[in-house]
Amino acid sequence: MPVRKAAIQEHVGRAVAEANPSDRPVVTVYGISGPSPIAMAFLSSVWIFFVDTYFVTFTQQALLFHRAGKLSSRPKELVLALPHHQARHLVSDVRMGSLWSSFRFLMPGREKPTRINVNRPWRPELDQLLRVLAAQPTGY
């Protein structure tokens, strides 16, 4: 079970290569859907079973959401793949915190954006993800 960020990123890189051998990750962020994890932690430790965990990966070709194993921290199935120019418009309500940061992402087919919470160790990758998304052209 990978617990180091570098090992997790390696597993995500393999999952990306399996899905599309010509694509490579630029930056990967580990996130948890749902309300603030700090608030949920006060309720009980079983909250983790009621949220979705994702690896959000900006690759050379697309923005990918892989479902993450809640206990293994390994990428599971690919949930969403969007071209860069579509993905950048689906990010909103970015909030940077000292322990947890979050952003909302409007997944196609859903009425409301999904809140993605990102823990402090993944903050540099979140900063990079937001920078590269903002730098993408608006359309092709």
Side-chain angles (χ1 to χ4, degrees), residues 109-129:
R110 294 191 183 171
E111 288 184 28
K112 295 168 62 175
T114 300
R115 178 179 166 148
I116 306 293
N117 301 291
V118 179
N119 201 346
R120 173 188 256 157
W122 291 90
R123 173 71 186 270
E125 287 79 7
L126 176 60
D127 291 341
Q128 183 181 359
L129 174 69

Side-chain angles (χ1 to χ4, degrees), residues 7-63:
I8 291 170
Q9 290 168 327
E10 182 180 320
H11 287 283
V12 172
R14 282 192 215 133
V16 169
E18 287 174 13
N20 183 354
S22 65
D23 203 3
R24 297 288 176 261
V26 174
V27 61
T28 297
V29 173
Y30 177 74
I32 300 169
S33 70
S36 169
I38 294 173
M40 294 300 290
F42 286 114
L43 299 176
S44 156
S45 61
V46 298
W47 68 273
I48 191 70
F49 296 106
F50 299 102
V51 296
D52 291 320
T53 53
Y54 296 104
F55 290 110
V56 182
T57 306
F58 186 92
T59 70
Q60 296 169 339
Q61 299 175 8
L63 182 71

Side-chain angles (χ1 to χ4, degrees), residues 75-138:
K76 302 288 183 186
E77 72 273 5
L78 182 63
V79 176
L80 180 64
L82 290 171
H84 296 151
H85 69 280
Q86 288 179 6
R88 73 183 297 232
H89 299 292
L90 301 176
V91 175
S92 64
D93 196 21
V94 175
R95 296 183 184 199
M96 300 306 211
S98 58
L99 185 57
W100 286 92
S101 298
S102 68
F103 64 95
R104 295 189 188 272
F105 192 85
L106 181 59
M107 295 197 183
R110 294 191 183 171
E111 288 184 28
K112 295 168 62 175
T114 300
R115 178 179 166 148
I116 306 293
N117 301 291
V118 179
N119 201 346
R120 173 188 256 157
W122 291 90
R123 173 71 186 270
E125 287 79 7
L126 176 60
D127 291 341
Q128 183 181 359
L129 174 69
L130 295 172
R131 272 194 313 274
V132 294
L133 273 173
Q136 294 307 303
T138 58

